[in-house]
Amino acid sequence: MSMRTLPLLFLNLGGEMLYILDQRLRAQNIPGDKARKDEWTEVDRKRVMNDIISTMFNRKFMEELFKPQELYSKKALRTVYDRLAHASIMRLNQASMDKLYDLMTMAFKYQVLLCPRPKDVLLVTFNHLDAIKGLIQDSPAILHQVDETLRQLTGIYGGLSAGEFQLIRQTLLIFFQDLHIRVSIFLKDKVQNSNGRFVLPVSGPVPWGTEVPGLIRTFNSKGEEVKKTEFKHGGSYVAALKEGSLELYGDRVLKLGTNMYSMNRPVETHMSAASKNLASQTQESIVPNPLAKEELNLLARLIGGMGIQKPSGPEPGFRLNLFTTDEEEEQAALTRPEELSYEVINIQATQDQQTNQELARIMGEFEITDQSRRSASKGDDLLAMMDEL
């Protein structure tokens, strides 16, 4: 397991989340002079994007994220995205949040599988961040936050070896290996089978620095080429024209990680029977995981670094529906597998003085006011968020 995987996982999943939310907000957008109080406007969309991106790239949050550490469990990571998605006036119910997270994970899983080289997962991350900057062109302060993260990525990952990137890729694939959720876009494009597994292409450019397959060279003990043998590889490959750039405004070359929702295509998700059985098999054990406390402490530091947006008005927030109709959303909530429901893990942290002090410090950073407690926006304290695990 690589200790450098978490930032790449978080930033790419976060990028996919922003693509989806932006597409849905645009689809439900009503012109400002015609909108009612309970409808979205373009101003609301920009405000949601700014609030979420500002929270996502908060300096303290990024400091915690980039520290070498193991990946969190799927439940712990999901808690962070629940928190992030509700860092604005927008509200998602459980069914829509489920659909959002399914789309995020399957999209990034597909991108990891298609990366020509393990190192190209870094270019996928840069594509996500480049697109995020396009969502906040009118906000120089937030643009600066994203640029700082790009610089951190270049500084930390730019010098890693091919072997280290291979370990990162393997860590990501282990994280995604049990997820086989069908997505309508992938099914229509025939890149995903009906069982939720992806179809990998046998065409396109080969990895940068490698040759098109089809030729075997044989050398003697002196290093001299003595024979060439051709073979049929069964694909349609071409040589890579150039390597993707890691500059702040460079040409990434690779298109993986760009916004596939820009054409306003409807997206549906379906969990296959195999995935439902697997969810049942991996249900949380009654016996607490001995590493649970440590994971929650790490998660507490990660969530503690998130900036808290002060509510600018008394409104309880706008609801966003990721389904076509409210009826579809209600049906999805009713058919949601019971095994996916979050159980409460009770952690007795008061016995550890150092941990208790750390939690107290983090809770102090939240600066909860009476108004935020009454509002449905950002009034959850740290322990309440942990209860969602």
Side-chain angles (χ1 to χ4, degrees), residues 123-375:
L123 292 174
V124 174
T125 311
F126 274 59
N127 275 338
H128 277 115
L129 268 60
D130 288 344
I132 289 172
K133 292 199 296 183
L135 300 174
I136 48 170
Q137 286 296 330
D138 301 331
S139 305
I142 308 176
L143 274 170
H144 177 71
Q145 288 179 265
V146 181
D147 283 341
E148 280 301 307
T149 302
L150 279 165
R151 293 187 184 96
Q152 279 185 282
L153 284 168
T154 304
I156 295 173
Y157 293 91
L160 295 186
S161 66
E164 288 170 309
F165 275 110
Q166 174 65 10
L167 189 57
I168 288 173
R169 183 176 183 273
Q170 287 299 112
T171 305
L172 288 170
L173 292 177
I174 290 170
F175 181 85
F176 289 125
Q177 66 180 347
D178 298 330
L179 298 175
H180 306 294
I181 299 163
R182 293 173 293 169
V183 178
S184 61
I185 283 182
F186 296 140
L187 292 170
K188 289 173 184 175
D189 291 344
K190 297 182 179 180
V191 298
Q192 190 179 32
N193 291 325
S194 58
N195 61 2
R197 297 182 183 275
F198 288 111
V199 179
L200 300 183
V202 288
S203 61
V206 296
W208 171 257
T210 63
E211 297 180 8
V212 175
L215 181 66
I216 300 173
R217 292 187 176 90
T218 306
F219 297 84
N220 61 20
S221 58
K222 298 179 181 179
E224 300 168 341
E225 185 178 311
V226 294
K227 188 174 71 171
K228 291 183 180 179
T229 307
E230 293 185 358
F231 67 93
K232 293 184 179 180
H233 51 72
S236 178
Y237 299 103
V238 295
L241 296 178
K242 61 178 179 178
E243 186 176 17
S245 170
L246 298 180
E247 297 294 327
L248 197 59
Y249 298 98
D251 180 7
R252 315 303 176 201
V253 180
L254 197 70
K255 299 304 179 186
L256 296 173
T258 53
N259 191 351
M260 68 176 178
Y261 307 99
S262 56
M263 296 181 67
N264 201 24
R265 302 165 71 183
V267 187
E268 298 298 332
T269 58
H270 307 279
M271 182 174 283
S272 64
S275 295
K276 289 181 181 178
N277 293 336
L278 190 59
S280 179
Q281 294 169 12
T282 57
Q283 188 177 7
E284 293 295 321
S285 171
I286 297 176
V287 181
N289 184 340
L291 297 178
K293 177 180 174 181
E294 183 60 27
E295 183 175 70
L296 289 179
N297 289 338
L298 290 170
L299 181 60
R301 288 197 292 274
L302 186 61
I303 294 178
M306 280 186 170
I308 303 303
Q309 302 293 328
K310 302 295 182 185
S312 57
E315 76 272 13
F318 289 86
R319 187 174 72 86
L320 180 65
N321 184 359
L322 264 71
F323 294 82
T324 308
T325 63
D326 289 344
E327 289 74 19
E328 286 185 19
E329 187 179 49
E330 292 169 4
Q331 184 62 28
L334 291 173
T335 57
R336 186 171 185 259
E338 227 175 276
E339 292 82 4
L340 296 181
S341 299
Y342 296 153
E343 298 177 355
V344 175
I345 303 174
N346 294 315
I347 302 297
Q348 178 56 268
T350 56
Q351 296 175 358
D352 188 332
Q353 185 178 4
Q354 183 178 357
T355 301
N356 196 35
Q357 291 173 350
E358 177 71 6
L359 290 175
R361 181 191 67 78
I362 292 170
M363 290 177 68
E365 291 181 358
F366 277 78
E367 298 177 355
I368 301 173
T369 63
D370 290 340
Q371 182 183 13
S372 61
R373 285 184 184 276
R374 291 193 300 268
S375 171

Side-chain angles (χ1 to χ4, degrees), residues 97-112:
M97 190 66 211
D98 286 343
K99 180 175 180 178
L100 173 62
Y101 191 70
D102 287 345
L103 289 170
M104 291 159 50
T105 52
M106 294 307 290
F108 184 44
K109 177 181 179 178
Y110 183 56
Q111 293 158 14
V112 174

